[in-house]
C-alpha cells in the first residue's frame, strides 16, 4: 500500500513540473515603454488586493518588470491604482 501511494505522488509532481513555460507578454507585444495612465494594462500586473505580481509568477522579463513597477508606483501616487484594497 505504502509503495503505491508513493508512486502516485511522484506522478503528480511530474505533471506539476511539466507546466507550460512562461514568457514575457510585453516582449511579445514589443512594448518599449509603459504609460502610468494605462490603467487597464497595469491592472493585469496587480493582484486583487493591489499587490504587484512578481515576475516569477507573471513571467515578465527583468526589463519589463522594472517598467511595470515604476508605472504602477506612479499610478498609485496619482491615485489611479490603489495601494491596497480592503
Ligand atoms: Zn519583456
Amino acid at each position: 500500500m505504502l509503495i503505491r501511494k508513493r508512486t502516485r505522488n511522484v506522478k503528480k509532481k511530474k505533471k506539476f513540473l511539466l507546466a507550460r513555460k512562461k514568457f514575457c507578454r510585453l516582449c511579445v507585444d514589443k512594448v518599449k515603454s509603459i504609460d502610468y495612465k494605462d490603467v487597464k494594462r497595469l491592472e493585469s500586473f496587480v493582484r486583487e488586493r493591489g499587490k504587484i505580481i512578481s515576475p516569477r509568477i507573471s513571467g515578465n522579463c527583468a526589463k519589463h518588470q522594472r517598467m511595470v513597477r515604476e508605472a504602477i508606483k506612479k499610478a498609485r501616487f496619482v491615485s489611479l491604482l490603489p495601494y491596497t484594497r480592503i
Side-chain angles (χ1 to χ4, degrees), residues 63-77:
K63 196 177 100 186
H64 279 120
Q65 182 65 20
R66 221 176 295 135
M67 285 182 193
V68 167
R69 185 228 293 150
E70 293 302 314
I72 288 172
K73 285 187 175 178
K74 276 180 193 168
R76 278 174 176 172
F77 185 71

Side-chain angles (χ1 to χ4, degrees), residues 23-43:
F23 56 92
C24 180
R25 278 183 283 165
L26 298 165
C27 277
V28 174
D29 297 342
K30 288 181 181 170
V31 174
K32 282 185 180 169
S33 67
I34 300 166
D35 191 14
Y36 69 90
K37 284 167 271 177
D38 193 356
V39 179
K40 258 191 187 173
R41 173 172 269 158
L42 292 178
E43 266 185 338

